[in-house]
Amino acid sequence: MKAHRHAATSLPSLRTASVLALLGLCATLSGIAGDPNPNPAPPATMQTNKDVPADFHKYFGQRINSWRDRERQIAKLDMDADMNQDGMIQNIDPADSGAFEATPPGLILGVGELSRFIIRLLPYRVDFDGEVVVTLEVEGINRGVKSGEYGSLSEELASMGHIRVWRDKDKKVLLLDSRDPAKRSVEFTTQYKTYPYNLPLTVPRYVFVEGVTPSRHFTGDIRLLCTVSHRGTKTMSRQAAAAQAPVTSGKTPVPVEEEGKTVNIKSFRTSFDHILITVQDKPRHKEFINNNNEGVWVPPPGTSY
């Protein structure tokens, strides 16, 4: 009698297992037939070539013995931000520099929030002709492809988050706007006659980055790149003739003519540093910034930390 009741109670379980197996088979056949998935998985977030300097200079990671000498650089460059959101930007703190700058999400900003970025320049060479050119530029990163590139500028502008870069926290001097094709790059130049003494007057010691529109598809989808390079005198004369031309990207090597030859590298190697940025709807709560005494963060209007 007990065995009969046990067999009776097991029949629904067998039916349920059969139905589930049949549903699984139908789902498999549907996938094979190519039916669209009503709930597609979000695009994979991958490391791209833009997360490391490999896309910037063809000599990065190559011919090390030929390019290791720092005297080949015109200056050392370091750009840091408060990556760990403790209210301070410390050059010796690994949490504010290094891998955190190039690993998503990078620096996280809320809409309407500003954060200070520090630019440190250490001159290496003073015996040169021409100009020292410091360039700031902003661009989007497509984390759906290994190259990090978008198919077009319009696609990039529509897909990436939106930031503005100001020279001051009061937002009086606008340097960059990631949605404005005409303001995605800015140059600061200084001639050898006054370099490096005029660096503090010419190149901003710090800038303020503002979150405007949230990142839609990926974290760390915005890159702020800073470069310092050498522009020779002959290159200067050519560019002076084309003064109305738009500012070129700091990633594009400017050929320098020497003794009737065109050299495909700069006289001195370009130094560079970049920081990834993610924009969110609201600023993160910051409980370790010590009343924001350092002034590293500027909250959205009408709010406070």
Side-chain angles (χ1 to χ4, degrees), residues 278-300:
T278 300
V279 182
Q280 295 183 341
D281 291 320
K282 297 180 180 179
R284 276 189 167 184
H285 175 64
K286 300 173 180 62
E287 52 185 320
F288 302 110
I289 61 174
N290 191 25
N291 294 321
N292 200 27
N293 289 332
E294 300 289 334
V296 173
W297 298 92
V298 180

Side-chain angles (χ1 to χ4, degrees), residues 41-103:
T45 299
M46 65 175 70
Q47 185 185 43
T48 72
N49 294 340
K50 289 190 175 183
D51 297 333
V52 294
D55 82 310
F56 171 71
H57 201 288
K58 64 182 180 179
Y59 291 103
F60 179 82
Q62 304 174 28
R63 297 180 59 184
I64 296 179
N65 293 332
S66 299
W67 293 87
R68 180 177 292 168
D69 182 10
R70 75 177 192 179
E71 292 298 319
R72 290 295 304 177
Q73 292 178 311
I74 197 70
K76 178 183 179 181
L77 172 68
D78 182 31
M79 182 169 61
D80 293 327
D82 186 15
M83 310 297 295
N84 60 355
Q85 300 191 357
D86 64 354
M88 297 179 291
I89 305 176
Q90 297 178 327
N91 194 32
I92 60 175
D93 187 351
D96 282 341
S97 58
F100 291 96
E101 297 176 343
T103 304

Side-chain angles (χ1 to χ4, degrees), residues 200-215:
L201 301 177
T202 305
V203 181
R205 174 65 172 177
Y206 53 82
V207 296
F208 284 85
V209 180
E210 176 192 13
V212 181
T213 303
S215 304

